[in-house]
Amino acid sequence: MPEFQHSPGMRDILPPESGRWRRFQAVFAEVAGAAGYGEIMPPLMEDIGVFQRVGEHTDVVTKEMYDFIDKGERHVALRPEQTASVCRAFAQHRPITPWKVFYAGPNFRYEKPQRGRYRQFDQVGIEVLGADDPYLDVEVIVLAWEFYLRLGLQQVTLLLNSLGEPQDRANYTAALKDYFEQHLDALSPESRVTLTKNPLRVLDSKRPADAAVLAGAPRIASFYSAEAAAHFEAVQQGLTDLGIPFTLDTSLVRGLDYYRRTTFEFQGGTLDSAQNALGGGGRYDGLVESLGGPPTHGIGFALGLDRTLLACDDEGVFAAPPAAVNVFVVDTTGGLEALRITAELRAAGISADRAYENRSMKSQMKGADRSGAPIAIIVGSNEIEAGVVTLRPLRGADVQRPVARGALVTEVIQALEQAAKEATA
Ligand code: HAM
């Protein structure tokens, strides 16, 4: 064992998996870009106060934050999520509304590491600030749905809820608290602890011991104001109109405190229930204000890259892209020719790799095979003497042939076109 390993809950993403991550982000950028979202790149670290606004009573804030005092005596934290940073940026820069942004990148939460739960994990997400249209909620949800379809995922379920206006939510929370306190004896010890911190979160309990009490708990829907009810109705109508299937789930409360009205979560059909939330989001009107900005409506979501890729593995979709170069150069004359040829090919926009250390022909050909390149260019002393290189197709039926050294690029382009045709035939 080497002396150092990566820290628990953190991982090295190696090729070709890293190529899959990049492609995941690129597909997301395409889907978001096509809907008018521009990319925001917030810092990895902020004043801890920014993140405390996501919920004084949440695990994310109270237990899982990577915070420390920096050399300038500032109390800072690595971001556990990016919504708060986006709202802080909005309050700071005051862009024109509606402000539609997307993001991609790592977040940090000190959680108990397990499959699908890490201490450094990646998200892609969007946020829209400054618009209160219920059809915007629909657009946001549909964008995530569209993205899952682009990945090829089929077993994703959309759960939908509304937490009502802040006052509705407060009334509901009080009613829940009353109800659970009346049934304290029937609650699991864990849920009794949750109750003292956040009665809404008791609804999240998957423990069989709590099932009976939960079944009889008051429902949020009876607490909606007329405005909240109309907004939620319009969201459901819009989703139905676009043919997006959803399941109403009145116990969907989510792990962060800033949500109001529409909330939603995407669950994967193949993952363990503790880690099956592939992504989620909702409205958080009020968060910008709490960060010193003007009253501003907000809605967005974040999708966990790590978990979504696990779901892709389980469903056998969105595989790592084959890590292949176009050409592999084999040079048994010392390596200078390989240096020149790879430089020439790359300058012409053709990806190329080579072997080093003047290895044997056999060993270099092994490298050519491993590279996944459809073509090898081979240079030996005979080729140098004749002013040619040997072009060898590595797949398909074609045989190798000499090509003039001066015609290298043109010949390679032709041969690559031929190889591509054969691959799709
Ligand atoms: P969240 O539900 O905390 O929401 O995280 C969103 C997704 O990030 C989760 O569904 C999950 O896929 C992934 N995730 C969270 N924690 C971990 C972890 N420790 N390991 C692996 N994946 C994880 C938010 O972060 C909100 N900012 C979403 C949002 C945006 N709401 C409005 N706008």
Side-chain angles (χ1 to χ4, degrees), residues 81 83 109 111 116 118 123 127 254 258-259 277-279 300-301:
E81 57 113 54
T83 310
R109 295 182 193 175
E111 298 203 65
Y118 310 101
Q123 288 179 339
E127 311 292 347
R254 314 228 345 101
Y258 49 59
Y259 291 110
L278 300 182
F301 65 69

Side-chain angles (χ1 to χ4, degrees), residues 60 80-84 103 109 111 116-123 126-127 254-256 258-259 265-266 277-284 299-308:
V60 172
E81 57 113 54
Q82 293 171 66
T83 310
Y103 49 80
R109 295 182 193 175
E111 298 203 65
R117 193 176 291 279
Y118 310 101
R119 290 181 178 167
Q120 177 176 334
F121 61 96
D122 257 58
Q123 288 179 339
I126 63 172
E127 311 292 347
R254 314 228 345 101
L256 303 161
Y258 49 59
Y259 291 110
E265 202 159 278
F266 298 98
L278 300 182
R283 280 210 163 263
Y284 46 84
I299 179 165
F301 65 69
L303 314 179
L305 179 152
D306 314 71
R307 278 185 206 177
T308 308

